[in-house]
Amino acid sequence: MSQTVTTLTPATHLLARNPGMALDMDWVARVQANTSAIERRAATLPGRRSVKKAYQAAWLAKAITLIDLTTLAGDDTPGRVRRLCSKARNPLRPDILAALDLPPLTTGAVCVYHEMVPTAVAALQGTGIPVAAVSTGFPAGLSPFHLRVAEIRESVKAGAAEIDIVISRRHVLTGNWQALYDEMCEFRAACGEAHVKAILATGELGTLRNVARASLICMMAGADFIKTSTGKEPVNATLPVTLTMVRAIRAYHTATGIKVGYKPAGGISKAKDALVYLSMIKEELGNRWLQPDLFRFGASSLLGDIERQLEHHVTGDYSAGYRHAIG
Amino acid sequence: MTTREIFDTMDYGPAPESDAEAHAWIAAKGPAFGHYINGSFTAPGETFATKNPATGVELARITQGTADDVDSAVKAARAALPGWSGLSGHKRAKYLYALARLLQKHSRLFAVLETLDNGKPIRESRDIDVPLAQRHFYYHAGLAQLLSEELPGHAPLGVCGQIIPWNFPLLMLSWKIAPALAAGNTVVLKPAEYTSLTALLFADICAEAGLPKGVVNIVTGDGKTGEAITAHPGIAKIAFTGSTEVGRRIRQATTGQGKALTLELGGKSPYIVFDDADIDSAIEGLVDAIWFNQGQVCCAGSRLLVHESIADDFHTRLRARMDKLRIGDPLDKCIDVGAVVDPIQHATITRLVDANTEGETYRADTPLPTSGCFYPPTLISGLSPAAPLMQEEIFGPVLVSTTFRTPSEAVEIANNTRYGLAATVWTENLNLALDIGPKLAAGVVWVNATNLFDAAAGFGGVRESGFGREGGWEGLLSYLKPTAKTVQSRPIDPTPAPKHVQAPDLDRTAKMYVGGKQTRPDGGYSQPVWSTKGALLGHAGLGNRKDIRNAVEAARAATGWAKTTGHLRAQILFYVAENLSARAEEFATRIRHLTGANAKTAETEVAISIDRLFTYAAWADKFDGAAKSVPIRGVALAMNEPVGIIGAFAPDEAPLLGAISLIAPAIAMGNRIVLVPSHAAPLAATDLYQVLDTSDLPAGVVNIITGDPAELAKPLAGHMDVDAVWSFCARAPAIVIEAASASNLKRTWATDGANPDWLGADGQGKRFLRAATEVKTIWIPYGE
C-alpha cells in the first residue's frame, strides 16, 4: 500500500496547536496596513514569480492536496455530499497521476454544513481526509451566542475534525476588540480537539487595517487557522487581503514561535490563481506553510481547472471539462 | 528533478523567457551595427563589442562614433529642423502616436533585447521600462497636440544633443526623444556604450513610423563620442543623464557656448521610515528602491533612515526579506535581481563596499550564480552620516542605513548630502508626511511608495543631482525657448572723473546691504560715482569675494523666508512698491543724474518699477503648482518651491528697473537674493535698501553688493551655498558664470547682455517665476 504524498510530509500533524495568548492591545494598536502599498506588492508578485513545466505540474498537484473541497448550498443532500467525498478521495484521474509519477492524492478536507457532517464522515471513513464544518451561524454569525457555541459542540460530536467559525463582524466595525477576543476564546474552547479556523469575512471589515487587527486578535485567542471569507460576501479572497493576513501570521510566529494556518476562500477558481497564492505564501511565510496543516484553499471549482491544466501538461493538448469526473 | 521531488521541495525551477527573436533581430540587422543617421543605417566603422553581462557573451558589435559621424548626424538634424519644427502640432502628434504604438507592438522584442544587453530582470524590462517608454510617447503625442494652444510664444531650441545612461536605455531614450520631438526639435542621441541595442531597435521603428529622415539620429560610441556631441557648435541644447562627475565635465565643456543644458545626475536618496509606518510594506518598498535594477538607479533609495525605536525590528525583518530575493539569469521570469551592467561597474561596487570599515555588513543569504556579473543584495547598517558610504553613490545593490530620533532630525540627516534627487517617506500620519515632504532637498518625494514614475510627473533633481525636469509641461519647457525679442545691451562704463571735481555739500557714502545692515566693503576700497554732468554723487563700495561670502551667509540665515506664505510676501512687495512710490521723485532724479536720461524717461523707469513690484506681489500667491493626472490611485503634486539663494547680476541698463526686475520675482517666490547692481549706476540700487528697510522685509532676504561684476562673477557663481546665478550683465559673462557654477552644479541664466526690454512685458512674467522656482513632485498614493 503506497502512502499518499500528503502523509509523506514529515511535519504534517506534528505541529503544536496555537495555545493563544493574553490580548495585547498595545500590539494590536501598532498594527498598520497601507492599502496602496499592499496592493502594489500583490499586483507585482505574479510578474515576479512564475513556475513552468514539471514545476508547475508539481505545484498544481500540491494545490490539490490543499483544497478544502466545499459544498455549502441550501440544496445539499447526502447524495450530493457523498459524490463530493468521492471526488475528494480521487481528485485526479489515475492515468494523469501515473503520467506525473505521483502516488494517489486526496484533497485537504471536505467542507460542509453541520447537517452533512455525519454523511461526510461516513463517506471518508478510513481515508484520513478530515471533515470541516462551517459553524456559529454561518455565514452571518448573528444567531444567539449560546446556540453558536452549541453548534460547534454538535459538529464536533458528529465527527468534524475542523470547525470553520465566523467572527462577529460588528465587534471589528465598532472597535470592540475585547469582545472579539472573548468570543474567539469561547469558540476555540468549544472546539476541543477539533482545529478551529476563524473566518474574518474580510469583505465586510471595511479596511485592511481592520483585517490585520482582526487576524491578530483571532490568533491571540487561539485560532489554528485564519480564513478570509465565507464565500458568501460580495468580495471574498483577494491577494491584498491574503498579503495582509499572512503578514499577521508571520508577525505572530515571530513573536510566539507558533505557526498559524491560512485559508483563502471564495473566488479562487483558476489554476493560475492558485499558483500565485502559493508563491505568495512561499515568499511571505516560507515552504513550511505549503502543507495542508497550514494552508488550505476554500474552493469548489478550482479542482476542475487544475485537472484540465494537468492533463494539458501530460498530453501537450488543451483539455476539456467533461474529461474529468465531477464532484 | 522529478515531479514527485518538486512536490516535496516546492522549488520554483527555471522559467526562461526566449531570446530567440532578439538574437534573430541582431543577426538580421547586424551583427555589426552602424549609426542611424538621416533615416538610414551607416556602414559599421570601427566597432567594439556589446556583451550580455549575465554571461559575458558578445551580443553584437557597435560602431565607435567619430567626430565626423557626429557632424554628419548634426547636419542631418539641422537639415530636418525646418521641416519638423514647421509641422503642425497635430502632425507631430501623429508621429509620436505612431512611435508609441510601435513600441507596444514590439514590446517583447524591446524587453528581451534590453535584458540581454543590460542584465536587468525581464520582469522589469517587460513590466516597467517598456510600458513607461510607451506611456512617454503617448503623453508627448498629447503635448505636441496641445503645445501651440497652451504655450504660445515658444519655439523649439534646434538640434538637441542627448546623451543617456546604461541603466534604463530605452526608457531614458524615451524621456529624451519624446519631449524634444513634441516641441519641434530634432535630435542626435547617443546611447551608453554598454547598452546601444534598444536605441538601434528604436531607430528601426522610427523608420517604420515614417518619421522624416534626420529628425532622429542615433550615434553610438563611448565618452569620446559624447564629447564630440557636447562640443559641436551646431547643437542648441545638451540633455544629459548620467553621473555627477560627467555632468560636471559637460557643464564645464559647454560654458559660454550658448547651449541650453539639462542634467539629470546622481543621488544618494534618503528612504525615511517613521515608527508608525506599515513596516512590512516599507520593507517591500526597499526592494523596489535599492534592489530594483540591481540598485543601478539614480534615484534609488540607497540611504535608509529608520526611527530609532523600531530600528532593531525593522532591520531583522529586512534581512529576512533580503534572503528571499532571487538572483540569477535576468531572462528568468522568476528572478528579482539580475546582473550588474559590466565587470567595471561590478569592480567599482566591490571596491566601495570593501573599503568600508564601519557598521555591520549583511549579504543576502541567497544563492549567487557562479559566473556572470552578479553582486549580492547587501545591507550595511549602523553607519553615521560621516561614513563615506552614507555620502558616496554606490550605484549597486547596496543599502546603507542609520537611525534618527525625531522628524526634524530625520530631515537634517536626509538633507546632509550634496545630492538632491529623490526621497521616500513612510508614515501612516498624513500630517507628518506632508510636513516632511516640502522640507526634503529633492526633486521628487514619494510618500508610502518608491520609484513611481510617469510621463505626466516631472522628474529631476536639485543640488548636484542636476537641473531641469523631465516629464510634464515643465519637462517640455526644457525643450522650448521664448520667441520674445531681446536687445543686445552694450556694457556701460562708470562715468569717468571730470577734470574739475564738484564736491557735494555733504559727503554721501552708499554702503553695501548685507543681512539687513549697511556694511562697509571688506577690502576698504570705494569708487566715486559721478553724474554724467561731472558731479560727485557719492561713493559706492568696491565689493570683493569676502563681501560675497558675508552676503551669502546672511542669505542662508534668512532661510525662514522660504517658509513664509505667499500672502505675506505679496503684502511686503506691495509695501515696497508703496514706499518706492512715496520717493518716486527722488529715484527719478537719481536715475537722471546717473544715466543722463531725461526726466520723462527716468520717471517712466520708476513708474514701471512700481508696476513690476505689483506684478510680482500679485504672483506671490498665484504661481500655483499642479495636481498631475498620473495613472495611479493617488495624486502627484507638482509644487513650485523656491530655488534657494539666487546670486544675480543686474543689467547695466535701467539701473533701478533692472535690479527690481530680478529682486521682485526672486523674493516673491521665497528665494533670498544676493544682487550685484549696475556697476555704472550702483546708487539707484543702494538707495533701494532704505525702501526695503521701511517695508518690513526680513534681514538677509535681499543683499546688495556693489562692485565690478567682472570681479564678483567668479566668487558669486562659484559659491557652493548659492543655488542659482542669473547674469543680465555682460561684465559677468556666461563663460565665467557657467564655468564657476560647475562647483556645485547650480542652475544658471546668463544672457551676456542679450536682455529683454525691461520696460516692456518681456521684462517680467512666468519665465522669471520659473527660473525662481524648482518643481518638486510629491507622489501620494492613497486608499484605505
Side-chain angles (χ1 to χ4, degrees):
Chain A
M1 170 80 194
S2 65
Q3 288 180 292
T4 65
V5 177
T6 308
T7 58
L8 283 175
T9 308
T12 306
H13 301 307
L14 294 179
L15 215 53
R17 286 191 68 186
N18 175 21
M21 57 179 278
L23 178 62
D24 180 349
M25 274 312 299
D26 283 348
W27 184 4
V28 174
R30 279 199 307 275
V31 168
Q32 298 288 5
N34 186 284
T35 301
S36 288
I38 288 167
E39 287 175 350
R40 275 197 303 280
R41 165 66 169 156
T44 59
L45 185 72
R48 286 180 183 273
R49 292 294 178 263
S50 179
V51 277
K52 299 290 174 197
K53 301 193 164 128
Y55 289 85
Q56 189 180 89
W59 280 50
L60 290 177
K62 174 65 77 178
I64 291 174
T65 71
L66 300 173
I67 293 175
D68 279 2
L69 204 59
T70 302
T71 182
L72 295 171
D75 59 358
D76 284 345
T77 60
R80 158 78 183 126
V81 169
R82 277 193 289 272
R83 203 173 76 189
L84 191 76
C85 291
S86 172
K87 185 68 181 172
R89 298 162 68 150
N90 299 293
L92 197 55
R93 238 171 48 206
D95 59 305
I96 299 175
L97 207 54
L100 292 169
D101 189 28
L102 287 172
L105 307 173
T106 70
T107 65
V110 166
C111 182
V112 293
Y113 271 116
H114 170 80
E115 279 301 308
M116 296 296 139
V117 170
T119 308
V121 168
L124 295 171
Q125 189 71 40
T127 62
I129 303 172
V131 173
V134 295
S135 194
T136 66
F138 182 95
L142 289 169
S143 49
F145 185 72
H146 71 278
L147 294 182
R148 282 184 266 153
V149 175
E151 187 184 2
I152 294 174
R153 295 210 175 95
E154 289 297 321
S155 292
V156 173
K157 205 191 296 176
E162 301 176 1
I163 303 293
D164 291 17
I165 64 98
V166 290
I167 65 163
S168 296
R169 279 73 116 182
R170 67 183 186 283
H171 293 334
V172 178
L173 297 173
T174 58
N176 195 348
W177 305 113
Q178 184 71 49
L180 179 65
Y181 177 82
D182 293 344
E183 169 186 90
M184 186 66 221
C185 285
E186 287 217 39
F187 289 162
R188 159 79 204 257
C191 285
E193 290 303 304
H195 285 225
V196 58
K197 307 193 194 98
I199 302 175
L200 304 184
T202 53
E204 294 177 348
L205 297 188
T207 67
L208 289 180
R209 189 178 295 103
N210 276 348
V211 169
R213 290 181 175 168
S215 297
L216 195 53
I217 284 170
C218 287
M219 289 187 282
M220 287 174 175
D224 296 295
F225 261 70
I226 52 175
K227 173 177 170 183
T228 56
S229 354
T230 62
K232 313 288 186 191
E233 290 90 52
V235 180
N236 294 290
T238 66
L239 284 175
V241 157
T242 296
L243 187 57
T244 306
M245 291 175 72
V246 299
R247 283 176 171 173
I249 290 172
R250 185 172 65 201
Y252 188 77
H253 177 245
T254 305
T256 67
I258 297 294
K259 295 183 177 72
V260 171
Y262 176 65
K263 178 177 173 182
I268 306 166
S269 57
K270 296 289 176 204
K272 200 177 166 198
D273 296 339
L275 295 173
V276 174
Y277 273 87
L278 293 181
S279 64
M280 180 173 276
I281 299 304
K282 183 177 167 73
E283 291 300 309
E284 297 286 330
L285 292 172
N287 277 9
R288 179 58 191 87
W289 265 267
L290 295 175
Q291 303 296 346
D293 59 343
L294 285 174
F295 184 82
R296 301 285 177 78
F297 287 112
S300 45
S301 58
L302 173 62
L303 178 56
D305 194 49
I306 293 179
E307 289 174 275
R308 285 194 294 277
Q309 298 309 320
L310 286 175
E311 185 169 34
H312 171 233
H313 173 74
V314 166
T315 64
D317 293 316
Y318 289 110
S319 181
Y322 63 78
R323 299 173 57 82
H324 307 278
I326 55 173
Chain B
M1 264 202 278
T2 65
T3 309
R4 188 187 288 236
E5 283 165 341
I6 301 163
F7 185 90
D8 283 330
T9 63
M10 289 296 283
D11 285 343
Y12 285 115
E17 175 75 38
S18 167
D19 58 2
E21 295 288 331
H23 281 297
W25 179 82
I26 292 170
K29 296 283 170 175
F33 287 85
H35 310 298
Y36 182 73
I37 294 174
N38 208 27
S40 59
F41 280 95
T42 64
E46 192 184 316
T47 63
F48 58 90
T50 190
K51 292 179 180 172
N52 178 348
T55 60
V57 172
E58 180 174 316
L59 293 168
R61 297 201 68 84
I62 305 295
T63 294
Q64 169 64 30
T66 63
D68 285 347
D69 295 335
V70 169
D71 192 51
S72 322
V74 174
K75 282 202 176 96
R78 286 188 77 88
L81 189 61
W84 181 250
S85 61
L87 289 182
S88 69
H90 173 58
K91 284 197 171 137
R92 288 203 301 275
K94 286 202 283 185
Y95 283 112
L96 288 162
Y97 174 70
L99 289 170
R101 297 286 285 160
L102 284 161
L103 277 167
Q104 266 178 330
K105 283 182 251 189
H106 301 301
S107 60
R108 195 54 62 92
L109 180 58
F110 272 106
V112 174
L113 198 60
E114 194 81 305
T115 286
L116 278 177
D117 206 10
N118 165 279
K120 66 174 64 200
I122 185 72
R123 198 260 324 172
E124 294 178 12
S125 49
R126 180 197 62 202
D127 295 349
I128 298 170
D129 294 46
V130 174
L132 280 173
Q134 294 160 8
R135 161 85 180 135
H136 224 75
F137 278 95
Y138 272 113
Y139 179 84
H140 283 86
L143 286 187
Q145 179 77 23
L146 300 177
L147 172 60
S148 59
E149 197 177 324
E150 291 297 309
L151 290 174
H154 286 84
L157 294 164
V159 177
C160 298
Q162 306 183 314
I163 302 170
I164 59 169
W166 44 257
N167 56 347
F168 296 92
L170 179 69
L171 183 57
M172 290 302 105
L173 174 148
S174 307
W175 282 22
K176 295 284 181 283
I177 290 184
L181 264 45
N185 303 278
T186 57
V187 160
V188 175
L189 177 132
K190 186 191 88 66
E193 67 268 32
Y194 294 151
T195 54
S196 307
L197 289 176
T198 46
L200 295 165
L201 175 57
F202 182 82
D204 241 16
I205 72 161
C206 286
E208 256 184 86
L211 199 67
K213 61 184 188 175
V215 170
V216 168
N217 303 275
I218 311 276
V219 179
T220 53
D222 62 11
K224 288 193 283 296
T225 314
E227 282 169 24
I229 292 173
T230 306
H232 200 290
I235 283 177
K237 173 189 169 113
I238 298 289
F240 172 75
T241 297
S243 71
T244 293
E245 184 195 346
V246 175
R248 181 170 281 125
R249 287 217 300 274
I250 289 176
R251 169 72 287 182
Q252 284 158 343
T254 54
T255 53
Q257 295 182 2
K259 288 190 172 98
L261 181 64
T262 46
L263 300 173
E264 201 270 272
L265 308 176
K268 189 80 182 177
S269 296
Y271 189 100
I272 307 169
V273 184
F274 287 98
D275 60 0
D276 67 343
D278 173 353
I279 293 181
D280 285 322
S281 289
I283 287 171
E284 201 56 48
L286 273 172
V287 173
D288 293 328
I290 188 66
W291 295 303
F292 170 53
N293 199 12
Q294 296 69 249
Q296 303 166 134
V297 182
C298 48
C299 55
S302 54
R303 206 159 40 104
L304 171 64
L305 278 56
V306 186
H307 219 144
E308 197 170 326
S309 59
I310 58 163
D312 288 345
D313 178 34
F314 189 92
H315 283 90
T316 304
R317 293 202 225 178
L318 174 57
R319 285 186 281 265
R321 178 66 186 91
M322 289 168 70
D323 294 346
K324 289 282 188 179
L325 292 169
R326 289 170 55 83
I327 302 153
D329 179 5
L331 276 174
D332 192 311
K333 289 177 270 191
C334 205
I335 281 296
D336 297 305
V337 181
V340 167
V341 72
D342 188 84
I344 292 175
Q345 183 63 16
H346 190 276
T348 305
I349 298 166
T350 306
R351 176 173 52 75
L352 283 166
V353 173
D354 290 355
N356 173 59
T357 54
E358 298 169 63
E360 186 191 341
T361 301
Y362 182 80
R363 290 174 204 278
D365 184 15
T366 179
L368 211 59
T370 48
S371 66
C373 210
F374 294 92
Y375 196 92
T378 302
L379 164 70
I380 306 176
S381 54
L383 293 183
S384 59
L389 287 188
M390 287 288 283
Q391 301 289 343
E392 299 301 318
E393 184 177 36
I394 300 171
F395 224 63
V398 183
L399 177 68
V400 297
S401 81
T402 192
T403 60
F404 64 86
R405 295 168 297 173
T406 62
S408 61
E409 190 173 63
V411 171
E412 190 183 9
I413 298 173
N415 289 346
N416 183 216
T417 171
R418 284 176 292 136
Y419 296 112
L421 190 48
T424 301
V425 179
W426 286 84
T427 172
E428 290 299 303
N429 180 348
L430 186 65
N431 294 309
L432 180 60
L434 294 183
D435 181 48
I436 296 287
K439 289 177 178 167
L440 294 168
V444 185
V445 175
W446 293 292
V447 175
N448 292 328
T450 204
N451 278 344
L452 302 179
F453 307 104
D454 184 60
F459 181 92
V462 298
R463 297 186 177 172
E464 293 191 26
S465 291
F467 44 80
R469 293 290 176 267
E470 298 186 287
W473 290 102
E474 56 269 43
L476 190 68
L477 281 162
S478 301
Y479 285 94
L480 292 165
K481 61 185 176 192
T483 49
K485 283 205 183 84
T486 57
V487 186
Q488 183 63 51
S489 65
R490 51 181 184 78
I492 303 169
D493 293 326
T495 307
K499 282 185 185 138
H500 305 289
V501 173
Q502 309 165 33
D505 273 358
L506 186 61
D507 178 75
R508 285 281 303 268
T509 306
K511 291 185 186 164
M512 307 203 193
Y513 187 60
V514 173
K517 294 194 174 66
Q518 300 182 27
T519 58
R520 291 199 181 84
D522 171 89
Y525 289 100
S526 295
Q527 59 160 337
V529 182
W530 305 98
S531 81
T532 48
K533 299 214 165 94
L536 180 63
L537 298 173
H539 285 81
L542 272 174
N544 65 16
R545 60 193 177 86
K546 289 190 179 165
D547 296 305
I548 294 290
R549 176 200 64 190
N550 297 343
V552 174
E553 267 175 31
R556 175 54 57 194
T559 305
W561 181 248
K563 299 186 190 108
T564 55
T565 62
H567 174 59
L568 178 79
R569 296 195 296 270
Q571 283 179 293
I572 289 176
L573 280 160
F574 280 129
Y575 199 23
V576 172
E578 179 189 328
N579 288 323
L580 179 61
S581 174
R583 297 169 60 173
E585 212 170 301
E586 175 197 335
F587 272 88
T589 306
R590 183 64 107 184
I591 290 168
R592 270 198 299 118
H593 288 158
L594 285 165
T595 65
N598 65 34
K600 186 155 179 280
T601 305
E603 280 160 21
T604 303
E605 182 174 342
V606 177
I608 293 178
S609 295
I610 293 164
D611 183 315
R612 191 135 299 163
L613 286 162
F614 260 63
T615 295
Y616 290 110
W619 274 120
D621 55 3
K622 293 173 193 67
F623 193 52
D624 297 330
K628 297 300 186 79
S629 298
V630 289
I632 62 162
R633 188 186 61 222
V635 286
L637 298 177
M639 297 176 58
N640 291 322
E641 294 197 338
V643 169
I645 298 176
I646 296 173
F649 293 89
D652 278 348
E653 67 275 14
L656 175 68
L657 178 59
I660 282 178
S661 297
L662 307 187
I663 291 172
I667 69 173
M669 294 296 106
N671 300 281
R672 289 87 75 203
I673 188 166
V674 175
L675 181 94
V676 178
S678 160
H679 189 37
L683 301 183
T686 55
D687 287 353
L688 196 60
Y689 58 59
Q690 290 166 0
V691 175
L692 301 178
D693 274 342
T694 52
S695 305
D696 299 339
L697 189 73
V701 174
V702 173
N703 305 277
I704 298 171
I705 302 295
T706 51
D708 186 353
E711 299 274 321
L712 300 175
K714 190 165 176 300
L716 185 53
H719 197 303
M720 293 196 219
D721 209 11
V722 172
D723 302 292
V725 184
W726 302 346
S727 175
F728 294 88
C729 171
R731 289 170 195 280
I735 193 163
V736 174
I737 298 285
E738 289 170 1
S741 75
S743 66
N744 68 336
L745 290 167
K746 59 177 69 67
R747 348 23 238 105
T748 61
W749 183 8
T751 63
D752 280 328
N755 292 339
D757 172 15
W758 299 108
L759 297 162
D762 294 339
Q764 64 183 26
K766 283 196 179 164
R767 199 177 173 203
F768 289 84
L769 296 171
R770 288 189 192 110
T773 51
E774 295 281 2
V775 177
K776 175 184 272 180
T777 305
I778 303 185
W779 290 74
I780 312 164
Y782 50 70
E784 181 63 66

